[in-house]
Amino acid sequence: MSHRIGICGIGAVTGYGWGREALWDGLMSGKPAATLTGGYGEKRDESWWIAAVPEGGDPVDGRGRFARAMRASAREAIDDAKRRGWSPGARVGLLHAVVLGEVYLWKDFYVADRGMLRVRDYLALMPSTPMSTFMQEYGFHGPAMNVSAMCASGNAGLLTAQTWLDSGIVDDVVLVATDLSVTPENVWHFAALGAAVVNREPLDGCRPFQEGSRGFVMGEASVGMVLSNRCDRPYAVALGGAMSHDAYHVTSLDPGFPEVRRCFVEALEDAHVSPADVRYLNAHGPGTKQCDRVEAAILEELFEPDTGIYSIKPLVGHCQGAASAVEIVVAALGYERGTVPAPPRVAAAHPQLLNGAFPVNDGLTVKSSLGMGGHNSVVVLAPAGR
């Protein structure tokens, strides 16, 4: 990337509720968003820990929570950016980072509706529909497309936005990352893979970089960002980034992690910064053994001993295709508010793991995301005034 990109507006819908402040207040409370939720398990007779987005949003925005959350988070981000001095240019593009779309409605389509709907309701299932109605609402005429890289989709969306801005084909980008897919079927299979923890309290089951971690609690989210270099008061700026692919396995990381390492190195080079400038590693941190091992090794190999590492997944849950976007906006909010609401330690931990909410200085944050199937991504973030 050849120049900085400002994160000018933020919107969020998460397991904590609808709105950016609900996310922030929930994280600052130190209490996980997940609750014991009935209707799960093989026979749908168990209660599992799930950080689902609650009912809400405007019914006009769509039949399901997916479209409503996507539109709500984007709308909140745009309103926020305008209050911070942003004015839309002539060519505003839309990037939707998404892996699974209207999961609940598609399930109903095949099971409850037996494949028959009014044409209008059928069109609501199409991934293009919420994007089209969003572009119509604001009269935006830049390119609009989906981006998908599993858990790394948010990082991938930000890097794609920067490419668009660098090439001059847009003046601004609205990036939205949405994943509302914690159906009993999806959660059961992630639990069967040994990745999702469903029967332990979140801070007990999901302990990234701590002894006894068993994996992650599944969550949902939609996060919106306005990305532009034409804003008076951005929350933070992205200095650069990189992506790579392991080409190794559909779920496992390459044990030697050469492509993860290369992704980190190239991200720092692209941002024109030194590892010594980095103060925080906002890790993928799902709490699985393989990811903890790889990211801890990268921390020790590339960065200074005083670089802190943290993951907010024990609090907000693993929001799948929206995960890295949630974690980017928390870092950006943290720069402006002077605090990052990391989860508390609950067990013996890596010595560089940050313990609970901590004050933020003007150092850089590296945001890593390792998507299932080998999708590696790293973005370098800085305070707005840097």
Side-chain angles (χ1 to χ4, degrees):
M1 295 195 294
S2 63
H3 64 262
R4 304 164 14 136
I5 177 172
I7 301 175
C8 302
I10 292 173
V13 178
T14 66
Y16 286 117
W18 292 69
R20 178 180 61 252
E21 296 309 316
L23 168 62
W24 184 259
D25 291 346
L27 291 169
M28 288 298 293
S29 76
K31 297 178 181 179
T35 59
L36 273 175
T37 306
Y40 284 82
E42 188 171 358
K43 298 181 179 179
R44 309 296 186 263
D45 58 354
E46 299 178 40
S47 293
W48 286 0
W49 288 97
I50 305 293
V53 166
E55 290 295 334
D58 189 341
V60 174
D61 288 339
R63 293 175 56 217
R65 290 179 304 123
F66 178 89
R68 296 179 190 181
M70 180 266 186
R71 297 283 295 279
S73 64
R75 193 176 291 127
E76 184 181 30
I78 289 171
D79 291 344
D80 185 36
K82 288 179 177 178
R83 287 192 296 268
R84 303 175 72 85
W86 174 71
S87 179
R91 301 165 302 167
V92 179
L94 170 65
L95 285 164
H96 193 193
V98 59
V99 175
L100 297 173
E102 287 279 10
V103 173
Y104 294 90
L105 293 186
W106 275 110
K107 178 182 174 181
D108 288 344
F109 175 69
Y110 286 113
V111 177
D113 303 320
R114 299 182 180 275
M116 295 301 295
L117 286 173
R118 294 183 305 167
V119 171
R120 179 186 181 90
D121 291 338
Y122 179 75
L123 287 174
L125 301 176
M126 298 295 104
S128 58
T129 296
M131 300 177 71
S132 176
T133 53
F134 168 82
M135 297 294 274
Q136 292 173 49
E137 178 179 353
Y138 287 97
F140 292 159
H141 296 286
M145 66 180 230
N146 291 332
V147 177
S148 188
M150 296 303 285
C151 317
S153 297
N155 274 10
L158 192 151
L159 294 170
T160 303
Q162 182 65 68
T163 301
W164 283 6
L165 288 162
D166 283 350
S167 68
I169 65 173
V170 295
D171 301 302
D172 319 280
V173 177
V174 177
L175 168 63
V176 191
T178 309
D179 197 306
L180 277 73
S181 64
V182 292
T183 63
E185 296 83 0
N186 283 338
V187 179
W188 187 92
H189 282 88
F190 271 94
L193 282 168
V197 180
V198 298
N199 55 8
R200 291 182 176 271
E201 292 192 12
L203 294 180
D204 179 34
C206 181
R207 312 175 186 177
F209 312 106
Q210 300 171 73
E211 291 182 4
S213 185
R214 292 170 172 82
F216 53 80
V217 173
M218 293 189 70
E220 296 180 330
S222 183
V223 172
M225 290 177 257
V226 172
L227 305 174
S228 178
N229 292 307
R230 304 181 310 103
C231 175
D232 296 339
R233 294 184 296 116
Y235 286 95
V237 293
L239 301 181
M243 294 190 71
S244 68
H245 197 280
D246 284 352
Y248 175 77
H249 193 268
V250 295
T251 59
S252 299
L253 296 171
D254 186 328
F257 53 91
E259 295 307 314
V260 176
R261 181 184 293 107
R262 180 171 68 85
C263 190
F264 273 86
V265 170
E266 291 184 356
L268 295 170
E269 292 174 348
D270 186 63
H272 303 291
V273 299
S274 163
D277 297 326
V278 177
R279 289 293 171 265
Y280 312 106
L281 174 52
N282 180 336
H284 181 57
T288 60
K289 288 182 179 179
Q290 64 171 352
C291 285
D292 280 8
R293 181 183 69 83
V294 168
E295 290 188 296
I298 290 290
L299 174 70
E300 295 164 7
E301 178 182 326
L302 294 183
F303 301 107
E304 298 296 316
D306 61 349
T307 301
I309 188 170
Y310 69 98
S311 166
I312 64 167
K313 283 185 173 71
L315 295 175
V316 76
H318 189 336
C319 299
Q320 306 299 303
S324 57
V326 175
E327 294 149 14
I328 288 170
V329 301
V330 169
L333 288 167
Y335 274 130
E336 178 170 87
R337 302 183 182 192
T339 303
V340 167
R345 295 182 191 170
V346 298
H350 189 286
Q352 290 169 252
L353 180 67
L354 295 164
N355 184 17
F358 61 90
V360 178
N361 63 25
D362 62 353
L364 304 182
T365 296
V366 164
K367 169 63 209 146
S368 56
S369 188
L370 311 179
M372 187 171 74
H375 300 277
N376 308 311
S377 65
V378 176
V379 171
V380 182
L381 305 173
R386 186 178 173 97

